[in-house]
Amino acid sequence: MTTSTGAPDVTVVMAVYNTMPYLTECLNSLVGQSIGLGRLEIVAVDDGSTDDSGRELDRFAQRYPDTVKVIHQANSGGPAAPSNRALEVATGRYVYFIGADDYLGEEALERMVGEADRRGADVVIGRMVGTNGRYVHQALYKDGNRDVTLEDSALPFTLANTKLFRRELVEKHKLRFPENLPVGSDQPFTIEACVRARRISVVADYVCYYAVKRGDASNITYRADHLSRLRCTADIMEFTAGLIEAGPTRDAVLRRHFTWELAKLLQDDFPGLGRPLREDLCAGIARLADAYFTDGIRDAMDVKRRVRIALAQAGAVDELTAAITADTERRAPSFLLEGARAFARYPGFRAPALPLPDRTFEVLGESVAAQLAQGTDLLESAWEQSGDDLAYTASVRVPVLGAQSVSLRLVKGSLPASADKAGARRLSPGRELPSASGACEAKPTEDGASSIVRARIPLQPRTVKLGVRLYVDVAGSTYEIPVRGEGKPMPLACRWGREEDPYRASALVNNKGRVVLHLAQIDPPKRALAYRAVRTLAGQVKRKLKSRRK
């Protein structure tokens, strides 16, 4: 409810710079909120727009004079200064920040204010989704409405300021946005608010916020160069370290920056950058890693990004470039299996001149299904026929060495849709595998980079479709990998079985590129005719032989 002083329940803050035509939808979503205009204040700061954004703000202010306040100022170069200016005039019990090219669900503010009042929360996070191809991390919303902390949830991966903040908290701690950061200026504000908050709540059962990826990609985050993003990330990490003492909570926040901001500087475009720039990036990341890359952060990261950070920290520019290039060209690293441990053999692994610990390259509880599928290659397949018996044989290269358990099996049915993107899946613990029949062995290749799995599987006469699957144990998990056959020669269909009960066997590549065996009984009427024709021909031959003897 609105306070007795007549102050609105919530002030929505908008920093606006050249956001037409998205701005109109944003404003409409605000004035149409179910919380009602009487409980709402909108403070929009036009940061020197050169399109029609300023005029559109004035149009809404004229139409809703008791709700919409507009401030025009010269361009400041980022959203921090206009957001700070808006906070100076905000009067609501809560403040909520929205990007001027995004929009809200109709009940968003009512639900978040209600949640803050019921729970006594100082920060409320409404569920956010991306539109037009924009990625928004979803892990925070998977467990429903609840209270969270920086340490026990995915909150560190959701540090945008698009949240509801109790204004009393903001003013008590003088929370403002650093105006020297062109990228990520909302993070210090959000991190400190979450550290100072008595309670942080999540509204996960309603989409409150729709984050729009603009078609012109003119958002400043997309335009910032590598060194600028590195500098901003360093400032944010140093601010965090000054706010939170060393330990699990600091690690939980800074892991986000190693996994996200710093890792994004070491992506597909890195090998194409000039050598001096690559060296500068590695040196900057090394300074941050030396200060904050704890064993806890390292072990919580996936092996690909962990290795990249470690190579940058070691100044191994060439090895880092080679590792990224291999991933870009879909040349997955092979995995060395030693007992229950598995190591991704990226450049630099056990290199004498680069003494990185094995732990850097170890698979630690994560799924490596995509890498296994990417490095698996069908070398040859054939039928092996003996009398009425038929077997399927195949040789498959798999990117593992030292495998204790690897087998090729035929499986009725298809993989679930969830496995399609990665091309493989990690099976749940204790899941029973399809029965294995026939012989299967794995031997290392001559170059020691992978293993060759050779299998011979006898076939039973029946009508069925069978997927050809590889099963590999890696670091305590079993992976099911469909064998792919695009561009590979398949054996010709063959007839097999007893003369009076023949079957047809075909090896095909389905529309997902996977090898599938089709076994089918030859059509009974055709089989009967064929059998009679064979008997008739045999009779004719027999009679001719008798006549010749006479």
Side-chain angles (χ1 to χ4, degrees):
M1 296 180 59
T2 307
T3 60
S4 58
T5 61
D9 280 338
V10 57
T11 297
V12 176
V13 170
M14 298 175 59
V16 181
Y17 177 73
N18 289 357
T19 55
M20 289 296 288
Y22 305 96
L23 177 61
T24 303
E25 183 174 14
C26 177
L27 290 167
N28 280 329
S29 79
L30 294 179
V31 297
Q33 285 291 299
S34 63
I35 198 170
L37 295 175
R39 300 172 61 188
L40 173 66
E41 175 183 63
I42 301 170
V43 179
V45 178
D46 172 25
D47 195 42
S49 296
T50 57
D51 64 356
D52 288 333
S53 295
R55 284 185 288 274
E56 185 71 345
L57 290 174
D58 291 339
R59 184 173 73 87
F60 271 81
Q62 186 175 14
R63 186 172 180 181
Y64 304 98
D66 296 329
T67 302
V68 179
K69 299 177 182 178
V70 178
I71 299 171
H72 297 278
Q73 66 178 31
N75 181 253
S76 65
S83 296
N84 288 338
R85 181 80 183 278
L87 285 174
E88 294 172 2
V89 300
T91 62
R93 293 191 298 129
Y94 300 98
V95 291
Y96 187 83
F97 297 89
I98 184 173
D101 37 15
D102 304 327
Y103 60 94
L104 299 185
E106 184 178 355
E107 302 173 17
L109 296 177
E110 184 177 20
R111 287 179 180 248
M112 286 186 286
V113 168
E115 191 76 2
D117 287 342
R118 280 191 300 274
R119 292 180 177 266
D122 289 329
V123 180
V124 176
I125 308 149
R127 183 182 172 194
M128 175 188 287
V129 298
T131 67
N132 197 30
R134 182 167 173 180
Y135 173 78
V136 173
H137 201 274
Q138 292 296 303
L140 186 64
Y141 315 116
K142 289 183 178 178
D143 296 331
N145 295 2
R146 70 198 193 286
D147 294 339
V148 298
T149 69
L150 284 166
E151 188 177 340
D152 68 4
S153 72
L155 177 56
F157 288 86
T158 312
L159 292 179
N161 66 338
T162 48
K163 299 169 176 60
L164 188 80
F165 300 90
R166 190 178 297 273
R167 194 165 68 86
E168 181 183 9
L169 175 81
V170 172
E171 295 307 321
K172 177 181 178 180
H173 296 286
K174 297 180 173 54
L175 303 184
R176 291 296 187 268
F177 299 89
E179 298 182 13
N180 64 322
L181 296 184
V183 177
S185 62
D186 52 348
Q187 287 195 33
F189 180 100
T190 303
I191 292 169
E192 184 167 3
C194 290
V195 169
R196 308 289 188 192
R198 296 167 298 174
R199 174 171 288 177
I200 306 167
S201 297
V202 177
V203 174
D205 59 357
Y206 181 81
V207 177
C208 296
Y209 196 102
Y210 294 85
V212 178
K213 183 176 181 180
R214 290 164 61 168
D216 57 3
S218 59
N219 185 293
I220 192 170
T221 302
Y222 303 123
R223 292 185 284 111
D225 64 40
H226 292 77
L227 291 180
S228 177
R229 284 185 283 145
L230 175 61
R231 179 183 67 79
C232 292
T233 301
D235 286 352
I236 294 167
M237 294 176 72
E238 289 162 5
F239 171 85
T240 302
L243 181 68
I244 308 172
E245 64 181 14
T249 301
R250 182 200 282 185
D251 279 0
V253 178
L254 295 184
R255 179 165 70 91
R256 172 247 166 80
H257 297 94
F258 282 108
T259 304
W260 193 248
E261 281 87 355
L262 295 183
K264 287 181 76 172
L265 296 173
L266 305 176
Q267 293 199 107
D268 294 357
D269 63 342
F270 181 84
L273 303 176
R275 178 81 184 200
L277 178 54
R278 282 182 285 155
E279 291 177 348
D280 287 346
L281 289 173
C282 287
I285 292 172
R287 285 191 292 273
L288 296 172
D290 289 344
Y292 309 122
F293 197 46
T294 65
D295 290 348
I297 293 176
R298 179 199 64 192
D299 290 354
M301 291 177 66
D302 62 279
V303 65
K304 181 172 78 172
R305 280 181 277 203
R306 185 195 321 138
V307 167
R308 293 185 183 186
I309 294 293
L311 290 173
Q313 182 181 11
V317 178
D318 292 334
E319 288 83 355
L320 175 58
T321 301
I324 296 174
T325 300
D327 283 330
T328 303
E329 296 176 353
R330 299 185 61 81
R331 292 185 282 112
S334 59
F335 294 89
L336 175 64
L337 309 186
E338 294 182 344
R341 302 176 73 186
F343 304 95
R345 299 172 74 236
Y346 279 105
F349 176 64
R350 293 181 179 172
L354 194 64
L356 292 175
D358 280 2
R359 190 76 166 180
T360 298
F361 299 84
E362 188 171 358
V363 177
L364 300 172
E366 65 185 285
S367 177
V368 291
Q371 294 96 315
L372 288 170
Q374 183 177 310
T376 297
D377 183 35
L378 175 65
L379 301 179
E380 58 182 17
S381 60
W383 308 118
E384 187 176 289
Q385 196 163 5
S386 177
D388 295 340
D389 297 329
L390 184 70
Y392 175 72
T393 66
S395 294
V396 181
R397 180 187 290 113
V398 58
V400 296
L401 286 168
Q404 299 298 313
S405 178
V406 57
S407 60
L408 193 74
R409 308 186 186 200
L410 303 179
V411 182
K412 186 177 180 180
S414 58
L415 283 172
S418 61
D420 286 348
K421 288 186 178 179
R425 62 171 171 167
R426 178 166 57 177
L427 300 183
S428 56
R431 178 177 178 134
E432 186 175 349
L433 299 184
S435 60
S437 59
C440 185
E441 65 173 0
K443 292 184 177 181
T445 56
E446 291 184 2
D447 61 6
S450 56
S451 296
I452 302 296
V453 178
R454 292 185 172 88
R456 180 186 182 279
I457 305 175
L459 302 175
Q460 301 299 319
R462 54 180 173 155
T463 298
V464 67
K465 291 182 180 179
L466 300 170
V468 181
R469 309 275 174 76
L470 194 68
Y471 292 86
V472 185
D473 288 348
V474 175
S477 295
T478 300
Y479 293 88
E480 181 181 40
I481 310 169
V483 174
R484 304 185 70 84
E486 307 104 314
K488 305 291 184 179
M490 293 292 108
L492 297 176
C494 70
R495 173 185 168 126
W496 64 297
R498 297 191 306 272
E499 186 67 32
E500 68 277 14
D501 188 24
Y503 280 75
R504 179 182 178 87
S506 304
L508 307 171
V509 178
N510 67 13
N511 58 5
K512 293 181 180 177
R514 300 167 181 168
V515 179
V516 178
L517 305 187
H518 288 204
L519 309 182
Q521 191 178 32
I522 293 177
D523 187 53
K526 293 181 180 179
R527 187 173 71 249
L529 288 173
Y531 185 58
R532 284 198 296 269
V534 169
R535 292 194 62 179
T536 300
L537 180 59
Q540 290 172 352
V541 170
K542 189 175 182 180
R543 286 193 293 273
K544 286 183 179 180
L545 289 174
K546 284 183 179 180
S547 64
R548 288 178 180 175
R549 291 192 188 110
K550 293 178 180 178

